[in-house]
Amino acid sequence: MLEQKAVQLNPLTLAFVGDGVYNLFVRTYAVEHMDVKASRMNAYCRDFVKATAQAKAYRAIEGELTETEAAVAHRARNSHPYNKAKNASSADYMHATALEAVIGYLYVSGQRERLEYIEKRAMEESV
């Protein structure tokens, strides 16, 4: 999908895609780097994909975002999600949504190198 079309998608749609993409990235990392039972890998992965960890990662990499990525994140932070945060503050939930939207935007627009960079940085900064 072209960048222009991707940036016009609803930010919560981008966050929906980004949630799945980031989950898969973290799980793949765990499989490649850990030799433990699946239940242990699942616990490891949860630490990276929970809202508080994603919010921490977003705050750490926010200054590295391009103008377009920052605009996508801003729209996501200011959106009105259908879900409420269960184990995170509203602010953390919205920052996590912003990170997921950026990841979704990069995935949908086909920017694979940038996507991998953002995912790696998010993992480095989240825990």
Side-chain angles (χ1 to χ4, degrees), residues 51 55 59 77 81 84-85 87-97:
R59 289 181 186 108
R77 274 196 332 268
K84 297 281 186 203
N87 296 311
S89 68
S90 294
D92 278 353
Y93 189 75
M94 296 314 296
H95 282 99
T97 300

Side-chain angles (χ1 to χ4, degrees), residues 36-57:
V36 296
K37 292 182 179 180
S39 61
R40 181 115 160 93
M41 277 191 271
N42 189 49
Y44 172 83
C45 292
R46 266 196 320 262
D47 287 341
F48 290 97
V49 300
K50 62 186 178 182
T52 53
Q54 289 182 353
K56 181 179 177 185

Side-chain angles (χ1 to χ4, degrees), residues 58 65 68-78 94 98-99 101-102:
Y58 174 77
L65 299 179
T68 303
E69 293 163 357
V72 167
H74 180 77
R75 286 178 35 231
R77 274 196 332 268
N78 291 330
M94 296 314 296
L99 176 67
V102 169

